[in-house]
Amino acid sequence: MNKLIITVALTGAEASKNDQPALPIAPQEIAQSAYECAQAGASIVHLHARLPDGTATQDKAVYQDIIAAVRARCDVIIQVSTGGAVGMTAQERLAPVELNPEMATLSMGSVNFGGDIFLNHPADMEAFAAAMVARGIKPELEIFDAGMIATARRWIKKGLLPARPHFDFVLGVPGAMPATPEALMYLRSQLPEGATWTVAGIGPAQLQLGAMAIVLGGHVRVGFEDNIYFRKGELATSNAQLVQRIAEVSRLLERPVATPSEARALLGLT
Ligand code: KMH
Ligand code: ZN
């Protein structure tokens, strides 16, 4: 079986320092967290940016500061968010792509998102995909519900997305696909030929579905964006603590963890 790629979603757009005091917000905090996670076994960092007051932003300059601070510390694969936060315009969301990161997320459809709607108009998504392809950025296709894989398959056929796509199944968002083993197995059964996949379980499912993915040959995303707890009622002390745990589970299951350069080879990054 391939080595395990661990992605860490360090910050997200939703949680605050009130919810999780160790949430990294400032560029230097995010970079330090990225470094600790890389030491613990993460090979991809999924980045969101915040303003000093904690508000989510897609400001290119803030992303640039974060990326420079991460790069000064380690060689982890950088994946920027184009999801941003609910309510942002498409133009705002696309801004960090201009920094030519190795990867960027691409949400494959609209979905209820807790009490909000995470809107992804097909025309915007197509423009996002074209911008990534033109810049040689590998998209990570964010799948919140089953129909989104069907969209991805159609788009691959039409040549709008690269062959050998990489998917992220985000399971357990209230309003979207639940974080159940059955949901994961169904999504996996729908993947196109040659695809790689990772799973981002929300809350306690981060560990449970992560363990499933390790056994099934998929990859795993952990981190505060999706889960701020180590176990029920106990906040995690850091993103790195969550990375350490999933890396340990993988080693116990005899699946070694990929380094960033091994992850680049697995994902076909140049
Ligand atoms: N914050 C969510 C509304 C992504 O990063 O691409 C969207 C999100 C997805 O976080
Ligand atoms: Zn995100």
Side-chain angles (χ1 to χ4, degrees):
M1 202 182 273
N2 284 334
K3 289 191 178 180
L4 179 77
I5 299 172
I6 300 175
T7 299
V8 61
L10 298 166
T11 302
E14 287 81 24
S16 70
K17 280 205 193 260
N18 281 340
D19 306 320
Q20 169 46 277
L23 185 77
I25 297 274
Q28 292 297 330
E29 288 175 340
I30 294 173
Q32 185 58 28
S33 184
Y35 170 73
E36 290 163 12
C37 290
Q39 296 292 103
S43 48
I44 303 178
V45 288
H46 169 71
L47 299 177
H48 282 254
R50 302 287 186 101
L51 296 174
D53 70 358
T55 311
T57 179
Q58 288 293 95
D59 189 318
K60 201 166 84 176
V62 184
Y63 271 94
Q64 194 158 27
D65 287 349
I66 297 168
I67 292 170
V70 173
R71 278 280 161 265
R73 287 170 171 81
C74 55
D75 181 41
V76 74
I77 297 166
I78 287 173
Q79 178 192 86
V80 300
S81 170
T82 68
V86 163
M88 288 177 171
T89 65
Q91 198 188 3
E92 245 180 307
R93 283 168 51 182
L94 194 57
V97 161
E98 290 170 26
L99 298 168
N100 294 329
E102 284 178 274
M103 296 183 78
T105 55
L106 175 58
S107 293
M108 289 308 300
S110 299
V111 67
N112 285 353
F113 198 86
D116 294 308
I117 302 173
F118 180 38
L119 208 58
N120 290 289
H121 192 286
D124 293 331
M125 291 154 51
E126 223 179 289
F128 283 26
M132 291 177 205
V133 169
R135 291 174 178 274
I137 298 168
K138 177 136 187 169
E140 178 181 272
L141 309 178
E142 305 300 307
I143 303 298
F144 295 86
D145 226 323
M148 297 182 191
I149 295 199
T151 303
R153 295 179 71 115
R154 277 200 313 278
W155 285 25
I156 291 162
K157 242 188 203 155
K158 288 204 297 192
L160 299 173
L161 289 172
R164 285 194 69 197
H166 181 61
F167 288 84
D168 179 28
F169 303 139
V170 186
L171 299 183
V173 171
M177 200 124 171
T180 59
E182 291 79 8
L184 179 59
M185 294 309 286
Y186 176 72
L187 293 175
R188 179 174 170 264
S189 77
Q190 298 303 302
L191 287 170
E193 190 83 10
T196 52
W197 63 278
T198 190
V199 68
I202 304 298
Q206 182 166 96
L207 175 61
Q208 296 153 359
L209 294 184
M212 264 187 85
I214 292 167
V215 174
L216 291 169
H219 303 284
V220 183
R221 174 168 123 172
V222 296
F224 288 163
E225 174 164 348
D226 306 323
N227 168 45
I228 57 176
Y229 290 96
F230 189 68
R231 58 171 69 90
K232 192 174 166 64
E234 182 183 328
L235 287 172
T237 54
S238 64
N239 278 302
Q241 187 191 29
L242 297 170
V243 173
Q244 259 156 22
R245 177 170 61 180
I246 205 71
E248 184 59 20
V249 170
S250 196
R251 282 186 208 108
L252 288 170
L253 291 167
E254 303 285 351
R255 186 157 175 218
V257 171
T259 63
S261 60
E262 289 166 341
R264 285 185 177 97
L266 288 168
L267 295 171
L269 303 177
T270 46

